[in-house]
Amino acid sequence: VSNFSISNGIEILSAELDSTERHMTLETTEQEHGITYTVTVAKGAGGNNVAMFSAGWNMLVLADWHLGEKYVFGNKPDEVDNDIKIIRYLKDNHGGDFILIPGDSNAGFWDKETFREEMSDALGFEVTNEDAVF
């Protein structure tokens, strides 16, 4: 651990050399998303002794917004536009490289015959049970 230094105020907690003795894995204190860090090998390294990396990614998970059919049927463009504005605001202000809105994972009416019929009419083909789930 003492052979390395790292920029931007994070600490190296442990270092592990793989079996080939060519790759080192460093465990650090929490990194901040979007920051580029520079790791410097202080001693014992030949050649390039500086490496740079950016910290991982953020995931934003939102609850089921209900009435997601508007995305399938396209009959409420104003509501869809408003949802896009909300998601854009959340991403801009709270991050999120990946945004997940699960919805109806435990219940819903996508499995009802009336929904499949409406979906079939909107899409122009016979929607099967499997199609309705997707």
Side-chain angles (χ1 to χ4, degrees):
V1 173
S2 63
N3 284 354
F4 303 94
S5 65
I6 196 163
S7 65
N8 296 326
I10 62 173
E11 296 176 38
I12 298 172
L13 302 175
S14 67
E16 184 178 327
L17 188 61
D18 77 352
S19 61
T20 67
E21 297 187 359
R22 295 180 49 81
H23 300 277
M24 179 70 69
T25 301
L26 303 176
E27 178 185 4
T28 68
T29 54
E30 189 169 344
Q31 303 160 11
E32 189 173 331
H33 177 72
I35 300 293
T36 299
Y37 297 94
T38 302
V39 177
T40 304
V41 180
K43 57 185 173 181
N48 188 2
N49 63 352
V50 175
M52 297 176 76
F53 70 94
S54 295
W57 53 277
N58 289 333
M59 184 167 92
L60 186 62
V61 180
L62 306 173
D64 180 2
W65 285 15
H66 299 284
L67 303 175
E69 295 75 28
K70 62 189 164 196
Y71 305 109
V72 175
F73 300 126
N75 57 353
K76 298 179 181 176
D78 292 343
E79 289 183 20
V80 172
D81 289 344
N82 191 55
D83 289 350
I84 291 169
K85 288 176 188 173
I86 291 168
I87 291 170
R88 187 170 287 128
Y89 172 84
L90 291 170
K91 178 174 179 21
D92 291 347
N93 291 280
H94 301 284
D97 299 304
F98 177 79
I99 299 175
L100 175 66
I101 307 172
D104 286 345
S105 57
N106 296 318
F109 58 87
W110 46 263
D111 60 335
K112 299 199 181 325
E113 185 63 32
T114 54
F115 177 76
R116 285 193 304 277
E117 289 171 0
E118 186 179 354
M119 188 179 243
S120 293
D121 290 342
L123 297 175
F125 64 87
E126 183 73 25
V127 174
T128 66
N129 292 344
E130 289 177 345
D131 294 331
V133 172
F134 289 120

